[in-house]
Amino acid sequence: MDGDLAMIFVFVIVMVMLVTPFAAIIHRRSAMHEERKLELIARAEEARNGNGGAAYRKLEERVRVLERIATDGNHALAAQIEKLRDLQAIDDQTADRETAQ
């Protein structure tokens, strides 16, 4: 019986030695993934609230308009495209004024 017990003990030790490195690798990758996810969330919040807040809101509004155009029927499509062109013209004019100052 002592030989069987020794074989079981050796088997358990070998299995632990094989599983432990894989568990460490998986843990390290999941920690890196979580860290990257938190960094991206922080950057998104900074963009919304900080330096590029106005630019972020403007871009978000444009995406919403484009989504509405893509999902709406074609009856109002031309009017919405013209509205986007008008917004682009306004943005170009304000950008020219800001660079002139």
Side-chain angles (χ1 to χ4, degrees):
M1 208 58 182
D2 291 331
D4 292 338
L5 188 60
M7 289 298 287
I8 292 172
F9 182 71
V10 169
F11 177 75
V12 169
I13 294 296
V14 169
M15 292 306 292
V16 167
M17 289 175 61
L18 289 174
V19 170
T20 303
F22 292 112
I25 290 170
I26 290 171
H27 174 69
R28 187 177 326 127
R29 287 189 53 93
S30 67
M32 287 171 46
H33 173 71
E34 189 68 27
E35 181 180 330
R36 178 72 175 147
K37 186 168 64 170
L38 291 173
E39 180 182 331
L40 291 174
I41 290 170
R43 284 186 184 179
E45 286 297 320
E46 181 181 309
R48 279 189 210 125
N49 301 328
N51 307 349
Y56 179 82
R57 280 186 239 104
K58 188 181 348 177
L59 181 62
E60 189 174 19
E61 179 62 31
R62 286 184 179 184
V63 169
R64 285 187 181 142
V65 169
L66 289 173
E67 286 174 347
R68 195 173 49 230
I69 289 171
T71 57
D72 256 358
N74 288 334
H75 56 84
L77 183 62
Q80 290 177 349
I81 290 173
E82 288 303 318
K83 180 180 176 185
L84 286 175
R85 287 185 182 149
D86 293 341
L87 287 175
Q88 181 63 38
I90 292 170
D91 289 343
D92 290 343
Q93 289 174 357
T94 56
D96 291 341
R97 289 181 191 159
E98 289 175 359
T99 56
Q101 292 177 359

